[in-house]
Amino acid sequence: MSESEQEQSDKQKYEFKKVIEKLKGYDGSGTQLVTIYVPEDKQISDVVAHVTQEHSEASNIKSKQTRTNVQDALTSIKDRLRYYGNAPPENGMVLFSGAVDSSGGRTEMVTEVLESPPDPIESFRYHCDSDFLTEPLDEMLADKGLFGLIVLDRREANVGWLKGKRVEPVKSASSLVPGKQRKGGQSAQRFARLRLEAIDNFYQEVAEMANDLFVSRRHEMNGILVGGPSPTKDEFLDGDYLHHELGDNVLGKFDVAYTDESGLYDLVDAASEVLAEHEILQDKEAMEEFFKELHDGDLATYGFGPTRENLIMGSVDRLLISEDLRKDVLTYTCENGHDEYEMVDRSASIDDHDCSRCSETVPAEEAEREDAIDHLMEIAQQRGTETLFISTDFEKGEQLLSAFGGVAGLLRYSTGV
Ligand SMILES: [Zn+2]
């Protein structure tokens, strides 16, 4: 993925997250919110046929209100599907429609279509419930990581991937290591030697399997997790069986009872703390750097105004935005063409604004209102600045939101702003 494609997809992800957050906030008073996941290879005409079928089955719903709401939602979805040819967009699409509770005990009809999510939609899904089904999209939008997985004991081994939140088993092997009981007539020494050889051979086989899978992708991988009973996994790691360039990627070893495919899932569970830590690692490093520059250097900027000014100058290397920032930006343009900007709470009402340069008053109704993250990312994109969304799940990340207005930047050079 090129840098600009990466930025494009960051922006798209943010747009998706905004819509999903809105959808999650809705409640339907009955089982009346419809969600449809459409994979890329499903014909739109098939989807329309399915929706038509559901519409006719909905006539059996006892509650008149729910029945009407479900049928209205389905009609609204059918209307939307008319805008498409017979093929869904790349990676598929998700349709949401339903009557949601709005203020004053009334309901309001909402319909949203999300096209071309970051990962392909794998199967067709029709869902009608009291809330919209957003989990599959949440998983796609979660921070992606790529981890190699190995589970082994002396009898069998499995290797695979953890991609985002999804475990993908790839290969398995089983060993010819004899049990501890030797047969009669065999010398104890010889038996022990053969057994050690067999174990060594098996570890080599497992390592080869892992090397085949992992070595070529070692630069994009976030790490390797190794699981199994003691002392197998320790012997395996201490024996340096893995390719030397993979050795440094091992994030940890974990006790796991099973070493079949299910062991890969157990391994991910056992490593959950390490994985959670890893997810915010980049955020932590960026915030460490920010605080260091703030105290001892001059390459930090923070707050909406100064950060925006630096962004416009092109001096920001990395824009740091709190992932919990929920603000708007107001743009006031006076009669003399001066633009001034202000970041405000979403619920804030707008007042008249006096231009600081010429004192002309801009009436409140002429102010333009825009999502603050959209506003900042737009500028960042034009200036080739990378945007990092900083989690609030650690102290310094929480401080970005509470003490620095949720917006900061690491600079390429000092600007004095
Ligand atoms: Zn002015």
Side-chain angles (χ1 to χ4, degrees):
M1 204 183 273
S2 76
E3 207 162 288
S4 68
E5 279 171 352
Q6 179 62 49
E7 279 160 13
Q8 206 57 44
S9 89
D10 283 349
K11 196 144 196 305
Q12 190 216 24
K13 273 189 178 180
Y14 176 63
E15 295 302 324
F16 272 41
K17 280 187 182 168
K18 260 199 313 193
V19 174
I20 291 170
E21 197 165 297
K22 195 173 75 182
L23 292 169
K24 280 187 193 197
Y26 291 137
D27 271 322
S29 41
T31 303
Q32 59 189 36
L33 303 186
V34 176
T35 310
I36 304 181
Y37 282 73
V38 182
E40 190 181 317
D41 58 2
K42 181 98 176 166
Q43 308 231 320
I44 296 284
S45 54
D46 290 348
V47 183
V48 172
H50 191 105
V51 171
T52 306
Q53 175 72 16
E54 293 287 348
H55 190 282
S56 91
E57 280 172 21
S59 59
N60 300 323
I61 297 173
K62 287 210 181 68
S63 149
K64 178 174 182 292
Q65 203 197 343
T66 306
R67 181 170 67 235
T68 310
N69 286 339
V70 170
Q71 290 189 326
D72 286 354
L74 292 166
T75 302
S76 171
I77 284 174
K78 251 164 94 171
D79 285 347
R80 287 301 190 96
L81 287 169
R82 244 182 250 147
Y83 293 103
Y84 298 87
N86 207 21
E90 193 185 342
N91 282 356
M93 65 203 282
V94 190
L95 301 117
F96 303 90
S97 184
V100 299
D101 297 341
S102 68
S103 54
R106 286 206 301 252
T107 60
E108 174 197 0
M109 194 72 183
V110 295
T111 301
E112 290 281 353
V113 182
L114 290 178
E115 291 178 15
S116 297
D119 295 331
I121 288 166
E122 281 169 7
S123 53
F124 179 82
R125 236 169 134 169
Y126 177 89
H127 182 91
C128 183
D129 208 335
S130 55
D131 37 34
F132 290 117
L133 178 70
T134 57
E135 285 74 15
L137 283 172
D138 289 338
E139 282 189 15
M140 286 184 200
L141 294 169
D143 283 334
K144 285 287 152 73
L146 180 68
F147 295 88
L149 306 175
I150 306 173
V151 289
L152 80 162
D153 57 20
R154 287 168 177 175
R155 301 243 140 243
E156 67 175 338
N158 268 273
V159 297
W161 294 111
L162 174 64
K163 293 177 173 173
K165 311 241 177 242
R166 210 174 71 236
V167 173
E168 197 182 289
V170 181
K171 279 196 225 170
S172 65
S174 49
S175 82
L176 301 169
V177 176
K180 282 186 180 148
Q181 208 57 46
R182 73 188 151 106
K183 295 191 197 90
Q186 220 172 5
S187 90
Q189 264 180 333
R190 181 174 151 73
F191 175 77
R193 200 187 69 234
L194 286 177
R195 188 160 183 278
L196 283 178
E197 263 178 37
I199 290 172
D200 181 61
N201 285 340
F202 184 57
Y203 288 168
Q204 282 182 33
E205 189 188 339
V206 175
E208 254 168 55
M209 198 163 71
N211 294 341
D212 280 352
L213 194 59
F214 301 150
V215 169
S216 62
R217 299 183 72 178
R218 65 192 181 280
H219 297 301
E220 49 174 317
M221 255 165 64
N222 300 104
I224 296 174
L225 306 170
V226 181
S230 295
T232 320
K233 61 179 181 307
D234 313 275
E235 279 174 3
F236 177 71
L237 287 172
D238 296 344
D240 288 331
Y241 290 93
L242 282 175
H243 191 282
H244 64 97
E245 289 199 61
L246 293 180
D248 295 340
N249 287 344
V250 175
L251 286 182
K253 50 183 181 181
F254 303 88
D255 282 320
V256 169
Y258 296 99
T259 54
D260 56 3
E261 268 188 26
S262 75
L264 295 174
Y265 295 87
D266 294 347
L267 174 60
V268 170
D269 284 344
S272 62
E273 259 178 52
V274 170
L275 290 169
E277 187 65 24
H278 203 274
E279 204 166 295
I280 56 171
L281 192 65
Q282 193 193 24
D283 299 14
K284 278 189 164 170
E285 284 169 357
M287 287 311 293
E288 289 296 337
E289 197 179 331
F290 171 75
F291 276 98
K292 193 166 163 286
E293 286 298 332
L294 194 64
H295 296 306
D296 306 323
D298 50 10
L299 298 180
T301 186
Y302 62 87
F304 171 73
T307 305
R308 186 182 184 284
E309 214 174 312
N310 273 299
L311 266 180
I312 293 283
M313 282 191 273
S315 57
V316 181
D317 179 52
R318 276 156 292 160
L319 172 65
L320 312 177
I321 298 180
S322 171
E323 65 178 17
D324 290 343
L325 184 72
R326 299 289 177 269
K327 301 253 186 187
D328 285 335
V329 166
L330 301 177
T331 304
Y332 307 97
T333 307
C334 79
E335 284 187 347
N336 296 318
H338 304 135
D339 286 331
E340 297 197 329
Y341 306 89
E342 188 186 2
M343 188 166 77
V344 297
D345 286 337
R346 291 224 170 125
S347 55
S349 59
I350 307 180
D351 293 327
D352 294 350
H353 173 84
D354 293 329
C355 175
S356 69
R357 284 194 271 172
C358 67
S359 306
E360 286 288 333
T361 299
V362 184
E365 62 271 18
E366 284 179 21
E368 273 180 54
R369 192 177 198 123
E370 191 189 358
D371 178 276
I373 296 179
D374 282 341
H375 180 90
L376 292 166
M377 276 188 95
E378 186 72 42
I379 307 171
Q381 220 169 332
Q382 287 163 6
R383 299 291 188 273
T385 298
E386 183 188 359
T387 303
L388 296 180
F389 285 98
I390 305 291
S391 159
T392 51
D393 292 344
F394 62 105
E395 196 189 340
K396 289 190 167 78
E398 168 56 38
Q399 282 174 14
L400 174 64
L401 185 64
S402 59
F404 297 94
V407 181
L410 285 161
L411 303 180
R412 297 186 171 115
Y413 50 88
S414 171
T415 60
V417 176

